[in-house]
Amino acid sequence: MNEARKELRRLAFYLAIPSAWRDISNWPAVAPHTVADPTDRARLVALTKAATAFLKQEPFRQVKKLAGVSEAQFFHLMERALGAQAGTDQICGTRAFVRNLVQEPRERKAPAGKTSKYGGYSGLFKKLRKDRPQIFERMTEFLNGKDRPNTVTPHLMQVKFVEVCKADGLTEADYPLNTNSKGAGPLHDWYPGSVTSPA
């Protein structure tokens, strides 16, 4: 990519930043003295200076020199800094510049199935919801009153879940049917509380 195209990309990134966040003093910030590791503290200071320079639209060669990371890494960190902080209505701010302080939500990539003799089912229910949303659409229809009794006990909900999973083509070798609980714990977390007659 030639320098002119890079400059256009940088400008587009800058223009996409909401005006309220173009002033770094408005960002949630981490005080450098609270970061114990000297290397991480220096990285925070350097990246904060680089972000400040970028937001002031200083020449990018100066921004890159201050950052001490590649251009791609700088923009990746800026995207993370400007992204939402989980559980708040704020951006991550300079927290994103402290190594391992802000992490993207974990998502299971391994295929469904027990992956170790000690378990290995972590994240599989979430992956099942993503890979087979039709199972949860059918469960929602059932729980919302379609072809269901007035009271649905946790046991009945579990039985229906197994039935829907099998109807969707899952076998005893597939998660959740290959577990002792048949996914009961995560199923009840997905639909917490008692289930009673619809109003």
Side-chain angles (χ1 to χ4, degrees), residues 27 40 43-44 47-48 51 77-78 81 93-99:
W27 288 21
D40 289 345
R43 180 177 187 260
L44 167 65
L47 287 168
T48 302
L77 289 166
M78 284 292 285
T94 64
R95 291 178 283 218
F97 300 154
V98 180
R99 199 179 310 277

Side-chain angles (χ1 to χ4, degrees), residues 62-133:
Q62 179 65 19
V63 172
K64 190 173 175 186
K65 183 178 177 183
L66 288 168
V69 297
S70 71
E71 181 169 343
Q73 180 69 7
F74 174 75
F75 282 111
H76 172 74
L77 289 166
M78 284 292 285
E79 283 176 8
R80 190 173 290 181
L82 292 162
Q85 173 71 17
T88 73
D89 60 356
Q90 290 287 311
I91 61 171
C92 291
T94 64
R95 291 178 283 218
F97 300 154
V98 180
R99 199 179 310 277
N100 299 325
L101 186 60
V102 175
Q103 298 184 24
E104 294 176 15
R106 288 178 162 72
E107 183 177 331
R108 185 180 180 108
K109 302 291 185 188
K114 191 171 179 180
T115 56
S116 83
K117 64 181 179 180
Y118 301 108
Y121 296 111
S122 178
L124 278 177
F125 193 83
K126 184 176 179 182
K127 183 168 173 41
L128 181 69
R129 287 180 58 195
K130 181 180 176 185
D131 294 347
R132 294 180 179 256

Side-chain angles (χ1 to χ4, degrees), residues 11 15 18 44 97 116 147 159:
L11 179 60
L15 293 173
L44 167 65
F97 300 154
S116 83
D147 301 328
V159 168

Side-chain angles (χ1 to χ4, degrees), residues 135 138-139 142-143 149 152-167 172 176-177 181-184 187-188:
I135 289 175
R138 287 194 56 201
M139 286 301 297
F142 171 73
L143 292 166
V152 177
T153 64
H155 173 73
L156 181 58
M157 187 165 86
Q158 180 65 30
V159 168
K160 183 65 176 180
F161 180 61
V162 169
E163 178 189 312
V164 170
C165 286
K166 287 180 178 178
E172 296 295 327
L177 305 179
S181 71
K182 309 290 189 222
L187 174 65
H188 295 297

Side-chain angles (χ1 to χ4, degrees), residues 30-42 44 98-99 101:
V30 174
H33 72 273
T34 63
V35 179
D37 184 273
T39 304
D40 289 345
R41 186 167 51 249
L44 167 65
V98 180
R99 199 179 310 277
L101 186 60

